[in-house]
Amino acid sequence: MLDTMALFDAYFEGVGVKVRYSDKGNYFNDTLRRFGGLDATGKFIKAAATRSILDKFMSRKVAEGGNIIYLENDQRAYLNLDAIAGSLSDEKAAADLVDDLVGNEVLQRGYIFQCERCRLISWYGIDALTTEFTCNRCSLSQQFTRRHWRDPVVPHWYYKLSETIYQFYRNNSHLTAQVLYKLKGESKSAFHYAPEIDLLNFPRRGKSREMDVACIVDGAIVFGECKTDSLKTEALEKFAALAEMPLRNPARVIFATTQPVSDEFKEQMSKVPNAELMVRSDLYDD
């Protein structure tokens, strides 16, 4: 059987449009691989408690007590076990979850140290440590001792979110994942997806547009647009261009958002063949 990308290539073949994964699509696929597939990713993000852990990794502030540390040098937040336990309200459950996430390379363990020479505060993964660490800025090798951290008396682990998952979540691909997770749950026999793809030579030669949702549900093609901010009428333009091409219309066109939807958008959306809305309450448990 052809893979999903080949099926979409075949769909667009008559109009000269080619498909490829966008950068966001590559982040998406690696994220799902690390979590263990679409179902596991969808469940993790749908639940408010586990989703809040990912939200904390997007923080740009230092939390009271040092549970979340934001480092300016790499513009990333790092969490300790207390931060994760705060999301789950259960320290043992948090420790078990962390073990699973580290084992699946969703999280990495490390320490946060300050260089004694250039004073850079930075995170160092456990794989880079012996009894020493090498400063990420000035390259000084130094034995880590009490003066290289502040609190507590013995340093504790800080967890880093895998870079591809960080990019996946920062670019709001979690909304695309939830749309696909919901659509898969509705399927009766077969579900194939190739999310966040670039359509090359669309809407005309030399141009390209991104398609957030691209899947086949029980043999029917479904496309979609996902926005964590308000849906604007500009989001309808590529679907209007698609409807003008000599192609069979998608069985469904999904417009998904976590924000309220204006009457103006709903009115314009009604002109797109087979269009429908998915809102936050359809996709997340809050």
Side-chain angles (χ1 to χ4, degrees), residues 27-98:
Y27 303 146
F28 192 104
N29 287 332
D30 192 63
T31 294
L32 266 60
R33 179 189 65 80
R34 291 173 189 264
F35 272 105
L38 178 60
D39 289 342
T41 307
K43 290 176 183 176
F44 193 94
I45 296 172
K46 192 174 193 293
T50 44
R51 185 173 71 253
S52 74
I53 296 170
L54 298 177
D55 289 335
K56 288 176 179 178
F57 278 109
M58 301 299 113
S59 175
R60 299 182 69 85
K61 297 179 180 179
V62 175
E64 185 177 353
N67 293 344
I68 303 173
I69 299 293
Y70 178 77
L71 297 181
E72 291 287 350
N73 68 301
D74 60 1
Q75 299 185 342
R76 294 286 186 276
Y78 298 87
L79 276 58
N80 67 12
L81 183 62
D82 288 342
I84 297 170
S87 291
L88 302 183
S89 301
D90 186 327
E91 187 174 46
K92 183 180 183 302
D96 290 341
L97 177 62
V98 164

Side-chain angles (χ1 to χ4, degrees), residues 194-250:
E196 301 192 319
I197 58 176
D198 285 332
L199 304 181
L200 308 179
N201 298 321
F202 177 83
R204 59 186 180 276
R205 182 169 293 278
K207 299 294 183 178
S208 67
R209 296 291 297 273
E210 187 176 77
M211 187 67 72
D212 294 335
V213 174
C215 62
I216 302 171
V217 183
D218 298 334
I221 287 178
V222 180
F223 290 136
E225 181 84 358
C226 299
K227 295 290 184 185
T228 54
D229 52 8
S230 298
L231 285 165
K232 306 296 185 183
T233 54
E234 291 82 358
L236 302 167
E237 293 174 358
K238 64 184 169 188
F239 297 98
L242 188 65
E244 293 174 358
M245 291 182 166
L247 294 167
R248 177 166 47 90
N249 284 330

Side-chain angles (χ1 to χ4, degrees), residues 8 38 64 111 117 124 164 171-172 196 222 232 234 246 285:
F8 284 116
L38 178 60
E64 185 177 353
Y111 289 129
R117 181 165 69 186
Y124 298 88
T164 50
N171 286 289
N172 299 314
E196 301 192 319
V222 180
K232 306 296 185 183
E234 291 82 358
D285 293 335

Side-chain angles (χ1 to χ4, degrees), residues 96-161:
D96 290 341
L97 177 62
V98 164
D99 282 346
D100 289 341
L101 296 178
V102 170
N104 290 330
E105 299 182 320
V106 172
L107 300 181
Q108 296 170 271
R109 284 190 174 99
Y111 289 129
I112 293 176
F113 295 139
Q114 183 174 44
C115 175
E116 63 189 56
R117 181 165 69 186
C118 76
R119 313 307 291 168
L120 175 73
I121 301 174
S122 190
W123 180 88
Y124 298 88
I126 189 173
D127 58 342
L129 298 173
T130 56
T131 57
E132 296 184 335
F133 70 99
T134 300
C135 176
N136 287 330
R137 180 162 63 189
C138 75
S139 300
L140 175 68
S141 292
Q142 52 208 289
Q143 182 179 356
F144 57 87
T145 61
R146 176 69 183 86
R147 69 178 182 275
H148 292 99
W149 63 86
R150 297 177 183 174
D151 293 305
V153 175
V154 176
H156 51 204
W157 299 119
Y158 278 97
Y159 295 94
K160 177 182 180 180
L161 188 63

Side-chain angles (χ1 to χ4, degrees), residues 167-187:
Q167 295 297 336
F168 161 90
Y169 205 76
R170 187 178 73 88
N171 286 289
N172 299 314
S173 296
H174 53 86
L175 181 55
T176 301
Q178 296 318 106
V179 172
L180 290 169
Y181 178 56
K182 182 174 177 62
L183 291 171
K184 183 180 180 183
E186 296 173 356
S187 66

